[in-house]
Amino acid sequence: MAHISGRTGASGPAFVRLLARLAHAHVPTPRQPLADRLSLWLGWTDAIALSAVLSGNAKAAPASTPACDSAAREDCARVRDELALSIEQDRVLRPVRSRHRRDPALLVDPDDDTDFSRYRQRCLAKQQQMETGIAALRGRLRAMLAAGSPDMARLAAVDAVMERVLGTQERNLLASVPGLLEGHFLRLRKAGQASVQKQQAAGEPAGNDPGPWLDAFRADMRGVLLAELDFRFQPVEGLLAALRAS
């Protein structure tokens, strides 16, 4: 199955840079090495669990069939494509004019389109969908690794610990995305309203169509969600690479 877009997978910093651009914020270069920053997120019980996995002799789990690299690739492609399609074809995030032209039943009160609450709800729903789908996929890939060599089983155990340890921090950080999108939404809406007022003051015809600025926001929101999908998929790509090498 082909991927929806031609992206090769944006890195975490690329996702952050996109959010910073939309929020008009500056992202400073981290002063601490990655390992030092990760250590701040680990409690002592987490450190013990991770140490036990790294120093232990993990045993490969018995399996009725060997891990299949092609099956893993197909599973990853299917999940990624389904999540990307869910974002790219979302009815709320379609361009305003084409959405209304193709489906008159979708015409709504302009006030509904220019209120951020519906976009916040949609963003949260997409984030939950990504989290659920990717967590299940990650578990399936770990099971394939655990059925291989002891080294691969150990890697699967490390990933399980890291997902548990860093999952809460990741959710807390990604929970800020709707708020950043809201700020971008409000700035675009204000600029759009100012443009209409300027046209009216000049005696030019100006309707209440929010299409131009709302289309821009919806395109940006789709881009942010797709970048978040790439970011969330990084551990999956690591597990898939390990399966290829096993």
Side-chain angles (χ1 to χ4, degrees), residues 37 65 68 75 91 101 113 137 157 170 174 178 185 205 227-228:
R37 285 182 285 138
T65 57
C68 179
D75 195 14
R91 300 173 83 185
R101 181 175 63 249
D113 267 358
L137 172 62
E170 181 181 87
L174 293 176
F185 177 90
E228 181 175 329

Side-chain angles (χ1 to χ4, degrees), residues 68-121:
C68 179
D69 178 41
S70 62
R73 289 198 309 269
E74 291 174 3
D75 195 14
C76 290
R78 177 187 58 80
V79 172
R80 187 171 196 143
D81 288 344
E82 287 176 354
L83 291 171
L85 271 174
S86 175
I87 294 168
E88 292 177 338
Q89 297 185 354
D90 189 279
R91 300 173 83 185
V92 171
L93 300 180
R94 290 181 190 174
V96 176
R97 289 186 177 82
S98 64
R99 181 182 68 128
H100 290 174
R101 181 175 63 249
R102 295 174 185 174
D103 192 350
L106 287 175
L107 285 169
V108 296
D109 186 329
D111 289 340
D112 291 336
D113 267 358
T114 56
D115 181 81
F116 183 74
S117 59
R118 68 199 306 256
Y119 300 103
R120 177 183 294 277
Q121 292 170 359

Side-chain angles (χ1 to χ4, degrees), residues 8-10 76 80 141 230 233-242 244:
T8 58
C76 290
R80 187 171 196 143
L141 293 177
D230 287 337
F233 238 81
Q234 287 183 339
V236 170
E237 291 169 348
L239 293 174
L240 187 59
R244 292 195 191 102

